Amino acid sequence: MKNFISMTLNGRSRDDAVPGNMLLVDFLRETVGMTGTKIGCDGGECGCCTVLIDGKPRHACLTLAASCDGTEVETIESLETGGRLSAIQRGFHEKLGAQCGFCTPGMVMAAEGLLRENANPNEDEIRQGMAANICRCTGYVKIIESVQAAAEEIASKEDAA
Amino acid sequence: MNETMPIDPEKVEPVKSVGVPMPLVDGPEKVSGKANYTADFMELDALVGRILRSPVAHAEILSIDTAAAEALPGVEALVTGADFVGQFGVLPIARTEWPIARDRVRYRGEPIAAVAAIDVETAQKALDLIEFEYTELPAYFTADDAIAEGVTPLHEKRPNNVERHVEYDLGEVDKGFEDADLIREGTYDCAEVCQVQTEPHAALAAYDGERDQLTVHASTQVPYYVHLMLEQTLGMPKSKIRVIKPHIGGGFGSRTECLHVELVASALARKCNGTVRIILSREETFVTHRGRPEQKTTLKIGMSKDGRITAVDTTTTQHGGAYAGYGTVTILYSGSMVFALYDIQNARYNGYRVLTNTPPCGAFRGHGTVNVRFAFESLMDDMATELGLDPFEVRRKNLLKAPTFTANDLMVNSYGLPECLDIVEKASGWKDRKGKLEPYRGLGIACSHYVSGASKPVNWTGEPHATVNIKLDFDGSLTILTGAPEIGQGSSTILTQCVAEVLGLDVTRIRILTSDSLVTPKDNGAYSSRVTYMVGNAAIDAATNLKAILTEAAARKMDVQPEDVECLGEVYRAGSQDQGMTFEEVVIAALEGTGTITARGNFDTIPESWGGDKYRGAAIGGSMAFSYAAQVVEIAIDPDTADIHVEKVWVAHDCGKALNPLSVEGQIEGSVWMGMGQAMTEETRYHNGLGITGNMLDYRVPTIIESPPIETHIVESIDPHGPFGAKEAGEASLAGFLPALTNAIADALDIRVSELPITPDRLMEIMEDKKKEASKKVDA
């Protein structure tokens, strides 16, 4: 049985027929071909597949593609504008929040969700906001610094505007 | 608009790259999701590979009936052990593992067959149709059981299940103990732990039947070893094989040896004349782990009243699973590194590497050194307390004085440990705060060290340790070609900085291509912290050779002697008044008559660094340089829940010249944190050989919530042979966390924790026992 779904993916609307048991992460990677969203575990353990659904961070490995009918889905591929890194991506790049980079798309999307909700989080709020994402390289020190740097950059841009 | 800005030679200076904190050269693709890892290559015609795994821990294989599976529509290939012509393994003398089991299975989860099918469902259905008949054999899950009287050997050549017994006696150990004022002995046990790198193992193999050529993308730290093992197990000429290492989601030693996944995918691809993708699940990645073995260490130290260590006697046993893997090297590292951090002349060692019916262990970050360091720094602290000495002072009493050789002939030319100790003592406020914290709070200190690459390679070929090529072409672009695998540790960035520094150019002028056997020079791989030291030196050599070519070309053009040419990076000139030539002009001059230039650089270790020959295997531990680290851990323990909260870590790491202070910090923080995981929560557990922690929840990896602030200090004891004086940065700081934590627990509770991980329930039990003891004493 296939389900017909309409969603907005990274700002573009699309219609698809998906099997009822297809996970969103497999839909994104195998059907759409967007491999920025990673799979690091067997379901709900690592957060590497974090995407935004209607603006909220969600595990794409715990979400059925069919359940995304009528939603807006955003992945790591949506963040760059005009070929330039977003403030959060720049933060992770410049502050070394990414080492091997495998958890990074999920981390960046979790941070994106967090900063949309709370533009000026303190350290505890950053920890709470990123708690569903595992990194094995950094010890998280520079991930916290990356999110802080991004928040500052976003704030300074808004001040200037 | 001018294409190039006019250059004012007055203002041109060589660009500094070394010592400059710099983001990773491959950072933009990582943060944008564009970096392709092995599973991200979506080959349209790729078949799904799946592996059938043994349900028993030890058995004779009677038959594997694959007829029904092979007949299933959609199954394109099926392989068993019979499809391979050779075994694989790390050491040439211990290649005992078949990519898929033949005759016998030795652990639960060992591959017994594999299929390639058009989709996951078909592949899984095919596995279900395979009939596996076997006769169970006695299985052993602990070292004691495996070496008991009358056991069934796992391997014929190892009748008592001891893979390797290492024994040495250096100096005068008995006399050392006679001279001691205090002798104490302790036993310390560390659980098996797993790397849990975030990217599960994966391989994509494409076989071109027309040309008999195989192309393999593999998530590996050692593409060269994978190449060799493909040749060995498939019986294919090396020249017909191409191995590519794409982006890698972490290593930590989990893929420091060839794994069966690459070999099985390749065998399937060849059998079906097509492309096969195997992506292991997280649970399978735990089975394929090659983690740190469970290790029990009994340590005896003799100490004089003033804290000088007079003798050390270590007996340690690792049970490392069903195959040798790196096991022999691991047990040798434990022996060569346990005392060599300090100036100790009398040392005895008995190390046993035991075979058990569990998935094979390997070379986890800090290879072989971590668990014995935990034992050593724990006992040292207890003895300091007993003698009324400060833990810092005891360590200072036993420092080496570089340059020197340790008792087991390890060459030490730079030794920044004294400075590391000074820094963390001051930064943590040790002198003012130690012993004066509130109840249930504690401070602990420990030191650790690690090699900067093994001086003798596993595969001795007579080639240099490292080779780097730099290609320079008509467009003035420089491309570094290196086999050194970038696995997230930042090696591509470091190599780019080394080349940029020598040529005085900005790093953005330089591109780097890594680990594709078609175009990059062979490299042994990313392990034992060898890349910065060895490949960094080769990169410097290559850049120096290139600079000489460019300088000569500039001299020719300007009609001066090469020694009169000054290289300013973007400008080459003869004398300060000379307008000079731009880099582009020099490139055009250099290419005249020769065309595209490839400059090569090499690096080799010196014999003094090979570790001597006082006992069999003494070469393991031999390195061109050692990094050193000291760390102080502060904790607060909840008296009701026994939950340990790490308040802060102060760490100082001597990495020689910090080529990139930003990435050095990242390496140190990651090491400390990984040590915290092993110390506090991580443990690979089995029930009758069946993994029961095969996910990141039951195998409890620390989250961002409980991860502490880490204050990192870099100590630069310039190493005479290191690239710009650099040494290892990514491993040494791991080991110190374990004993620093338990020393902090001893400070807080007066309890010596000798078993890790120290989870809250375990600590609660110890605290309860202590209370009962105390109340008994009161009653009595």
Side-chain angles (χ1 to χ4, degrees):
Chain A
M1 248 286 278
K2 295 235 171 169
N3 299 59
F4 290 93
I5 59 170
S6 300
M7 66 163 81
T8 307
L9 177 60
N10 296 340
R12 293 187 196 182
S13 59
R14 56 181 295 148
D15 302 314
D16 290 276
V18 296
N21 64 352
M22 181 178 249
L23 297 170
L24 177 61
V25 70
D26 291 330
F27 171 75
L28 291 170
R29 290 176 55 84
E30 308 271 343
T31 307
V32 181
M34 286 183 175
T35 56
T37 305
K38 306 299 179 201
I39 302 174
C41 69
D42 301 342
E45 302 158 27
C46 72
C48 288
C49 67
T50 304
V51 297
L52 300 186
I53 301 177
D54 291 334
K56 305 272 185 230
R58 293 285 179 262
H59 285 112
C61 73
L62 296 182
T63 305
L64 290 172
S67 74
C68 295
D69 184 36
T71 65
E72 190 175 332
V73 176
E74 293 165 82
T75 70
I76 186 74
E77 284 90 351
S78 70
L79 296 187
E80 283 173 281
T81 43
R84 302 285 289 168
L85 301 177
S86 74
I88 295 172
Q89 290 173 314
R90 188 163 303 287
F92 273 79
H93 171 50
E94 290 181 354
K95 296 291 177 187
L96 200 63
Q99 285 187 26
C100 81
F102 197 81
C103 75
T104 309
M107 284 283 177
V108 169
M109 294 314 287
E112 180 76 26
L114 169 68
L115 293 188
R116 282 190 202 176
E117 193 85 2
N118 175 1
N120 187 24
N122 61 29
E123 191 183 319
D124 268 352
E125 289 165 336
I126 293 173
R127 288 179 187 272
Q128 295 295 337
M130 312 288 287
N133 296 67
I134 298 284
C135 167
R136 279 299 263 179
C137 294
T138 62
Y140 304 107
V141 178
K142 294 203 180 320
I143 287 180
I144 293 169
E145 289 170 8
S146 300
V147 179
Q148 286 168 334
E152 279 164 29
E153 192 187 323
I154 294 167
S156 72
K157 271 191 188 150
E158 276 169 8
D159 285 350
Chain B
M1 209 170 83
N2 284 335
E3 259 201 352
T4 49
M5 291 284 287
I7 291 169
D8 180 355
E10 291 285 303
K11 288 183 185 156
V12 173
E13 280 181 3
V15 179
K16 283 296 296 170
S17 294
V18 156
V20 180
M22 217 176 260
L24 300 182
V25 294
D26 52 2
E29 50 266 50
K30 286 174 179 170
V31 299
S32 61
K34 288 178 186 141
N36 279 330
Y37 300 77
T38 302
D40 297 334
F41 292 89
M42 293 291 168
E43 303 295 320
L44 288 177
D45 59 346
L47 298 166
V48 175
R50 278 283 188 281
I51 297 171
L52 181 67
R53 295 172 180 279
S54 171
V56 281
H58 200 187
E60 290 291 342
I61 298 174
L62 296 179
S63 67
I64 299 169
D65 184 351
T66 60
E70 280 174 294
L72 187 70
V75 172
E76 303 284 322
L78 191 151
V79 292
T80 64
D83 289 274
F84 297 89
V85 299
Q87 289 157 292
F88 74 105
V90 176
L91 302 173
I93 51 159
R95 291 190 178 140
T96 55
E97 202 167 350
W98 288 98
I100 295 180
R102 293 226 288 210
D103 307 325
R104 203 195 269 206
V105 286
R106 296 181 174 87
Y107 65 92
R108 279 203 192 196
E110 183 165 5
I112 48 178
V115 299
I118 51 166
D119 54 31
V120 178
E121 290 75 16
T122 311
Q124 191 54 52
K125 202 167 171 189
L127 294 188
D128 294 343
L129 289 171
I130 296 171
E131 301 275 348
F132 176 47
E133 283 186 34
Y134 54 87
T135 308
E136 262 194 84
L137 296 167
Y140 312 106
F141 309 116
T142 65
D144 287 344
D145 288 348
I147 59 171
E149 281 289 308
V151 288
T152 304
L154 272 74
H155 298 271
E156 265 177 36
K157 286 184 181 165
R158 300 282 180 267
N160 50 7
N161 286 329
V162 175
E163 174 64 30
R164 182 71 190 267
H165 173 208
V166 181
E167 192 177 9
Y168 67 71
D169 207 327
L170 304 171
E172 296 176 282
V173 177
D174 293 328
K175 182 168 181 309
F177 281 118
E178 279 167 28
D179 293 345
D181 297 312
L182 180 69
I183 299 172
R184 287 289 175 265
E185 190 178 290
T187 296
Y188 306 86
D189 207 341
C190 295
E192 183 181 306
V193 286
C194 184
Q195 291 89 348
V196 198
Q197 76 290 349
T198 47
E199 181 204 14
H201 297 303
L204 175 73
Y207 184 74
D208 173 352
E210 200 63 52
R211 297 181 180 83
D212 184 30
Q213 284 180 355
L214 176 69
T215 301
V216 182
H217 287 74
S219 58
T220 181
Q221 301 173 236
V222 285
Y224 163 63
Y225 292 160
V226 169
H227 204 136
L228 292 182
M229 292 304 111
L230 284 167
E231 177 203 29
Q232 183 120 355
T233 59
L234 298 179
M236 277 183 76
K238 285 194 282 273
S239 59
K240 297 275 190 186
I241 299 168
R242 176 183 180 189
V243 177
I244 300 165
K245 174 222 64 79
H247 280 281
I248 297 298
F252 316 113
S254 66
R255 20 208 183 199
T256 295
E257 53 193 298
C258 179
L259 302 171
H260 52 244
V261 54
E262 296 101 48
L263 306 172
V264 171
S266 300
L268 284 167
R270 183 170 66 169
K271 197 150 188 184
C272 68
N273 245 313
T275 301
V276 175
R277 197 159 67 122
I278 298 184
I279 301 168
L280 296 191
S281 67
R282 177 54 63 183
E283 190 178 6
E284 286 177 294
T285 300
F286 269 99
V287 172
T288 316
H289 68 119
R290 314 278 159 163
R292 198 182 323 284
E294 199 226 318
Q295 185 167 2
K296 192 177 218 171
T297 304
T298 298
L299 182 72
K300 190 164 103 174
I301 295 179
M303 201 180 264
S304 64
K305 268 185 286 197
D306 64 351
R308 269 293 285 158
I309 292 173
T310 57
V312 177
D313 189 343
T314 312
T315 301
T316 191
T317 305
Q318 302 167 343
H319 80 85
Y323 293 94
Y326 265 99
T328 297
V329 179
T330 317
I331 197 69
L332 280 162
Y333 261 126
S334 282
S336 66
M337 299 288 277
V338 60
F339 70 92
L341 175 56
Y342 300 110
D343 178 17
I344 294 165
Q345 297 305 316
N346 308 312
R348 184 180 292 141
Y349 179 73
N350 273 282
Y352 299 86
R353 177 72 174 204
V354 175
L355 294 152
T356 47
N357 294 105
T358 45
C361 292
F364 194 147
R365 195 178 201 174
H367 191 189
T369 68
V370 175
N371 297 344
V372 289
R373 182 57 36 215
F374 166 59
F376 197 100
E377 299 288 311
S378 297
L379 186 57
M380 199 179 193
D381 237 55
D382 281 349
M383 294 175 75
T385 306
E386 202 171 336
L387 289 170
L389 300 170
D390 183 85
F392 273 84
E393 292 316 313
V394 165
R395 287 169 173 89
R396 287 190 179 111
K397 273 276 181 255
N398 292 286
L399 295 174
L400 291 163
K401 281 189 183 63
T404 188
F405 285 86
T406 64
N408 55 339
D409 296 323
L410 305 183
M411 179 181 83
V412 178
N413 286 324
S414 57
Y415 187 72
L417 189 57
E419 208 179 333
C420 292
L421 282 165
D422 293 348
I423 287 172
V424 294
E425 184 183 50
K426 190 154 179 262
S428 65
W430 181 273
K431 280 184 179 157
D432 299 328
R433 301 174 66 227
K434 176 71 167 51
K436 295 173 197 157
L437 299 178
E438 291 163 37
Y440 295 99
R441 295 179 84 96
L443 281 171
I445 157 81
C447 299
S448 47
H449 64 154
Y450 201 66
V451 300
S452 307
S455 264
K456 274 197 166 174
V458 170
N459 278 283
W460 186 259
T461 60
E463 294 164 83
H465 264 273
T467 298
V468 166
N469 286 345
I470 305 173
K471 175 177 160 277
L472 175 65
D473 219 328
F474 70 97
D475 55 356
S477 73
L478 290 155
T479 308
I480 302 168
L481 300 170
T482 173
E486 165 66 58
I487 59 169
Q489 85 284 43
S491 63
S492 289
T493 306
I494 296 296
L495 299 179
T496 305
Q497 285 180 268
C498 285
V499 170
E501 178 75 17
V502 172
L503 294 168
L505 295 167
D506 192 87
V507 287
T508 53
R509 239 200 207 282
I510 298 165
R511 286 177 285 195
I512 183 162
L513 183 66
T514 67
S515 304
D516 177 347
S517 65
L518 192 67
V519 282
T520 57
K522 170 209 140 180
D523 188 78
N524 284 332
Y527 60 91
S528 73
S529 281
R530 63 176 286 284
V531 175
T532 292
Y533 202 98
M534 296 188 180
V535 190
N537 267 320
I540 292 170
D541 188 38
T544 306
N545 292 336
L546 180 62
K547 190 172 163 183
I549 293 170
L550 295 172
T551 305
E552 265 175 44
R556 220 165 34 236
K557 212 67 181 174
M558 295 191 283
D559 205 17
V560 296
Q561 293 300 310
E563 51 272 27
D564 296 330
V565 174
E566 191 186 4
C567 164
L568 300 172
E570 289 294 337
V571 168
Y572 284 63
R573 67 180 180 186
S576 59
Q577 298 307 308
D578 180 23
Q579 185 67 24
M581 296 169 72
T582 65
F583 180 76
E584 275 83 4
E585 288 166 345
V586 177
V587 171
I588 291 166
L591 263 55
E592 268 175 34
T594 69
T596 306
I597 293 166
T598 301
R600 191 181 67 227
N602 287 334
F603 175 73
D604 242 328
T605 57
I606 57 173
E608 293 89 321
S609 72
W610 291 352
D613 54 2
K614 284 189 180 148
Y615 58 95
R616 192 172 151 242
I620 299 297
S623 181
M624 286 294 290
F626 296 85
S627 64
Y628 298 91
Q631 62 191 295
V632 170
V633 170
E634 180 172 351
I635 55 162
I637 297 166
D638 184 323
D640 299 321
T641 63
D643 188 46
I644 305 165
H645 188 251
V646 180
E647 301 280 298
K648 187 157 181 178
V649 182
W650 296 266
V651 57
H653 183 121
D654 164 26
C655 64
K657 175 72 184 170
L659 300 180
N660 183 342
L662 181 67
S663 79
V664 165
E665 276 178 22
Q667 286 299 306
I668 297 170
E669 289 160 4
S671 299
V672 167
W673 176 85
M674 205 163 247
M676 182 182 94
Q678 179 176 356
M680 296 177 65
T681 54
E682 295 182 27
E683 177 175 9
T684 307
R685 286 181 289 133
Y686 300 93
H687 177 71
N688 291 336
L690 175 71
I692 54 170
T693 50
N695 60 72
M696 289 147 103
L697 302 172
D698 290 315
Y699 186 96
R700 182 72 166 79
V701 169
T703 72
I704 197 169
I705 297 284
E706 68 266 33
S707 297
I710 301 168
E711 186 180 305
T712 302
H713 298 266
I714 297 171
V715 170
E716 296 182 309
S717 77
I718 302 304
D719 188 77
H721 301 287
F724 300 109
K727 306 190 286 186
E728 190 281 328
E731 305 201 55
S733 289
L734 192 157
F737 186 94
L738 286 63
L741 176 87
T742 51
N743 290 342
I745 295 172
D747 183 40
L749 304 177
D750 194 21
I751 283 173
R752 171 52 57 187
V753 169
S754 54
E755 262 179 67
L756 295 180
I758 182 67
T759 55
D761 47 334
R762 281 184 190 153
L763 183 59
M764 181 60 92
E765 209 172 291
I766 301 171
M767 287 163 73
E768 291 294 319
D769 287 350
K770 196 183 171 207
K771 266 188 211 159
K772 276 181 213 153
E773 289 282 318
S775 63
K776 261 189 219 159
K777 275 182 195 156
V778 172
D779 292 347

